[in-house]
Amino acid sequence: MTVLTIATLTLREASRRRVLRSLAVLTVLLLALSAWGFSRIDAEFGGLTSGEAKVAGSTVLNLVMFGYSLIAALGTAFLAGPSLAGEVESGIALAMMTRPIRRWSVLLGKWLGLVAFGSGFVTVAGVSQFLIVHLTVGYWPPHPVTGLLLLAGQTAALLTLGLLFATAISPMASGIVAVGLFGATWIAGVVGSVGEALGNPSVAQIGVVSRMLLPTDGLWRGAMNAFQDPALLAQIGTGVEESPFLSMAPLTPAYLTWAAIWTLLVLGLAALGFHRRDL
C-alpha cells in the first residue's frame, strides 16, 4: 500500500510540473507537423499505391516515433531527478522518513509512478500518430502493441538510470547525464550500423557493446522493426543497414531478458544508493 500510495502521489506531482506542459506542447507540435507532412506526401505524388504507402508510411513513421521517444526520454529523465534528489535537497524526504516508511518502498513507488507516466505518454502519443498515418496514407504498423511496449521499456530503462544518478548528484545534473548517455548510445548504434554495412567488425562492435551497456538504443531498434512493414527492406534494397530509422531484425528473447535484468540491476543500485544517502 505504501508503494502504491507513493506511486499515485508521484503521478500527481508529475502532472503539476511544468515539464508536463512542455511535453504536451512538443507532442502537439510534432503531431501537427507529421499530419501536415503525411498529407503533403499523398498530395504531392497524386495518390500512392498500397506498396508506396507502406514504404513512405514505414520510413517516416519511424522517424516521427523517434521524436516521441526523445520527448519521452527528456521528460522522464528530468522528472526522475527532481522527484528524488529534489525532495532530498528540500528536506521533504527527511520529513517522510521520520515515519515508519522504508526507503526502498519510497524509491519503488516513485519508480512505478514515473514508469506509469512514461508508458502513458508513449501510448497516447503513439496511438495518435498511428491514426494520423492511417488516415493520411492508409498505413498501419504490423505490430503496434509490441512497438509501444518496447518504447515504454526504453523509457523505463532511462528513467531508472536517472533515478540512480539522482541518488548521488543534483536533480538537473542527473537529467543531463541520463539524456547525454541516451544520445551517445544512439549515436554509437548508428556508427555500429554503418560498420555492419561496410563489413567492418571492429566498428560494428561499437553498436553491440553500447546496446549492452545501455539498452535504450536496442529497445528502440526493436520498436522500429515492429512499426515498419515486413516487406520494406526488400523493396528498398541493399545499403539499408546504414539507415538510423530502419531495423534489420526483431529483438531476440535473450536481449529482451537482458534489458529487463539491466533495468532491475540499476533499480537495485539506485535503492542501495538511496539507502546510504545522507538525508
Side-chain angles (χ1 to χ4, degrees):
M1 289 301 296
T2 301
V3 172
L4 293 178
T5 300
I6 293 175
T8 303
L9 293 174
T10 301
L11 271 174
R12 292 179 181 176
E13 178 191 5
S15 65
R16 292 194 296 264
R17 289 187 177 274
R18 293 182 179 178
V19 173
L20 181 61
R21 302 172 191 172
S22 302
L23 289 178
V25 171
L26 288 174
T27 303
V28 171
L29 286 176
L30 189 54
L31 285 172
L33 286 173
S34 65
W36 177 82
F38 277 106
S39 65
R40 295 307 302 166
I41 289 176
D42 190 39
E44 289 291 336
F45 294 97
L48 300 174
T49 65
S50 59
E52 292 170 339
K54 288 181 179 180
V55 172
S58 294
T59 307
V60 183
L61 177 61
N62 280 344
L63 172 61
V64 176
M65 292 304 294
F66 178 76
Y68 292 123
S69 72
L70 181 59
I71 293 173
L74 289 170
T76 53
F78 282 101
L79 279 175
S83 179
L84 190 64
E87 291 188 357
V88 172
E89 292 182 353
S90 65
I92 296 177
L94 180 61
M96 290 177 58
M97 297 307 166
T98 58
R99 297 169 175 81
I101 300 177
R102 297 183 181 274
R103 294 194 184 192
W104 67 264
S105 61
V106 173
L107 181 74
L108 182 59
K110 290 186 175 296
W111 182 80
L112 286 175
L114 291 171
V115 167
F117 175 83
S119 301
F121 168 80
V122 166
T123 301
V124 172
V127 172
S128 300
Q129 187 60 56
F130 297 159
L131 291 173
I132 288 175
V133 176
H134 182 68
L135 292 174
T136 51
V137 297
Y139 176 76
W140 188 263
H143 305 290
V145 176
T146 301
L148 292 178
L149 286 175
L150 290 173
L151 284 184
Q154 179 197 51
T155 303
L158 188 64
L159 72 87
T160 306
L161 185 64
L163 281 177
L164 173 61
F165 291 143
T167 62
I169 56 180
S170 67
M172 182 63 69
S174 64
I176 292 174
V177 174
V179 173
L181 289 175
F182 170 83
T185 304
W186 181 76
I187 293 174
V190 174
V191 172
S193 298
V194 174
E196 292 178 5
L198 297 178
N200 190 324
S202 300
V203 177
Q205 197 68 16
I206 295 175
V208 175
V209 172
S210 67
R211 286 191 285 272
M212 295 299 294
L213 293 177
L214 180 58
T216 52
D217 183 62
L219 293 171
W220 159 243
R221 290 181 178 276
M224 282 196 298
N225 187 267
F227 295 145
Q228 69 194 24
D229 184 74
L232 175 63
L233 300 179
Q235 293 183 40
I236 293 180
T238 59
V240 296
E241 299 92 341
E242 302 177 23
S243 173
F245 300 111
L246 291 175
S247 179
M248 300 298 298
L251 296 180
T252 63
Y255 186 82
L256 292 173
T257 302
W258 164 246
I261 293 173
W262 184 94
T263 303
L264 293 176
L265 286 174
V266 175
L267 182 61
L269 290 175
L272 180 62
F274 188 50
H275 178 74
R276 296 180 175 181
R277 179 75 180 265
D278 184 10
L279 301 181

